[in-house]
Amino acid sequence: MNKYLTFFLLLLFFLVKPGFSQTIYYKNVSDSILPSFKDTANRIILVNGDSSLNLKNKFAYVQRFFPKIEFQNIKIKFRNSQTIVKIKPTFASIFKAPKQRTYKIFYSNLSETTLDSVLLKNLSLNSQLGLIAVQMSRIEDFRTGGFFDFVAWHFKQLSTRSKNKINYDDELRAIEAGLGYQLLSLSKENEEKLKIEKWKNVKGYANYIKQNKKRSMSAEIISNFVNDQPVYHAQQYK
């Protein structure tokens, strides 16, 4: 009798187990979800900034969409800048294997322009995850590159057209991974907060357009990709 009971319990466990798996597919991520995603390996290092942003949990959540991603550490630093976010590998990392590399991500803390409204700390949670997704997508792409790829990437930063193409590819990779709703939130929030009438002077807006025109996908393009990508049909988004 005990043998049959044990067999039944084991069978029940394996049948029910999938229902307890931690889902990552959400149209809108809430604050209550994030604590269950942890940086258990302590590879996300917050150099400075507000710890209440819970960046480790946010990075841990986004990382789940890139199961093959490799790095030793990601160091996050906040500084005053008109560049919302910048990512780069440390110099020593370009000579190392992917799992031994360290990346630095710089988020702007203050721009003294209308861009302040779309800095990481001022975005909604879903949009923050969308912004983080783009950087994690870049690291995922770095995983497949070696020394000469890093050199080529460095020189591409000197061309606006090449930088736009890199960012477009990063966004597309994040959408393909399943983070399209988060990128859609980011795009809509940027479009709303950075309308021309929200800027205090023409020069500031003109500089923004010059630096950021065609840098990111529009909400319409992201929506089209979300409708086309298999992951959004294969997974049940909550």
Side-chain angles (χ1 to χ4, degrees), residues 31 52 74 118 138 148 157 187 218 236:
D31 287 313
S52 67
I74 295 176
V118 293
R138 173 98 306 262
F148 291 106
Q157 302 304 302
S187 179
S218 67
Q236 185 175 1

Side-chain angles (χ1 to χ4, degrees), residues 184-220:
L184 183 59
S185 173
L186 176 63
S187 179
K188 288 181 176 179
E189 194 163 347
N190 280 333
E191 289 176 5
E192 176 60 32
K193 290 183 174 180
L194 297 177
K195 288 180 178 178
I196 187 171
E197 59 266 26
K198 301 292 180 69
W199 289 78
K200 296 180 179 179
N201 62 75
V202 176
K203 183 179 179 180
Y205 181 74
N207 184 61
Y208 159 70
I209 291 296
K210 181 180 179 181
Q211 297 296 326
N212 296 277
K213 188 177 182 180
K214 297 182 180 179
R215 179 66 50 84
S216 300
M217 294 184 191
S218 67
E220 182 180 2

Side-chain angles (χ1 to χ4, degrees), residues 45-215:
I45 301 171
L46 184 62
V47 178
N48 65 351
D50 189 351
S51 59
S52 67
L53 281 173
N54 298 322
L55 286 179
K56 287 194 172 188
N57 298 95
K58 293 168 184 174
F59 270 81
Y61 170 76
V62 173
Q63 187 180 338
R64 289 286 299 276
F65 289 84
F66 300 97
K68 295 182 179 179
I69 200 168
E70 291 182 296
F71 58 89
Q72 182 174 11
N73 293 116
I74 295 176
K75 295 183 178 180
I76 302 168
K77 186 174 182 179
F78 286 81
R79 63 184 182 182
N80 295 348
S81 173
Q82 291 195 19
T83 301
I84 292 175
V85 60
K86 182 177 181 180
I87 180 172
K88 67 177 183 178
T90 61
F91 179 74
S93 291
I94 67 178
F95 303 101
K96 296 180 179 180
K99 65 181 180 180
Q100 297 175 321
R101 292 171 183 166
T102 294
Y103 298 94
K104 293 182 178 180
I105 299 178
F106 301 91
Y107 288 106
S108 177
N109 198 47
L110 180 69
S111 73
E112 296 186 337
T113 70
T114 304
L115 286 173
D116 284 340
S117 63
V118 293
L119 299 184
L120 179 70
K121 63 181 181 180
N122 295 326
L123 292 171
S124 65
L125 173 55
N126 230 30
S127 295
Q128 287 182 13
L129 294 173
L131 186 58
I132 292 170
V134 180
Q135 287 86 66
M136 293 298 281
S137 176
R138 173 98 306 262
I139 294 174
E140 166 65 10
D141 188 52
F142 280 146
R143 178 182 65 84
T144 61
F147 173 77
F148 291 106
D149 296 289
F150 280 117
V151 173
W153 175 79
H154 173 75
F155 282 104
K156 286 179 180 178
Q157 302 304 302
L158 304 177
S159 164
T160 299
R161 183 176 180 180
S162 294
K163 287 172 70 173
N164 290 349
K165 178 63 166 58
I166 289 172
N167 197 75
Y168 181 92
D169 290 343
D170 290 341
E171 290 182 336
L172 180 56
R173 197 178 302 108
I175 293 171
E176 291 173 340
L179 288 155
Y181 291 109
Q182 285 65 46
L183 264 72
L184 183 59
S185 173
L186 176 63
S187 179
K188 288 181 176 179
E189 194 163 347
N190 280 333
E191 289 176 5
E192 176 60 32
K193 290 183 174 180
L194 297 177
K195 288 180 178 178
I196 187 171
E197 59 266 26
K198 301 292 180 69
W199 289 78
K200 296 180 179 179
N201 62 75
V202 176
K203 183 179 179 180
Y205 181 74
N207 184 61
Y208 159 70
I209 291 296
K210 181 180 179 181
Q211 297 296 326
N212 296 277
K213 188 177 182 180
K214 297 182 180 179
R215 179 66 50 84

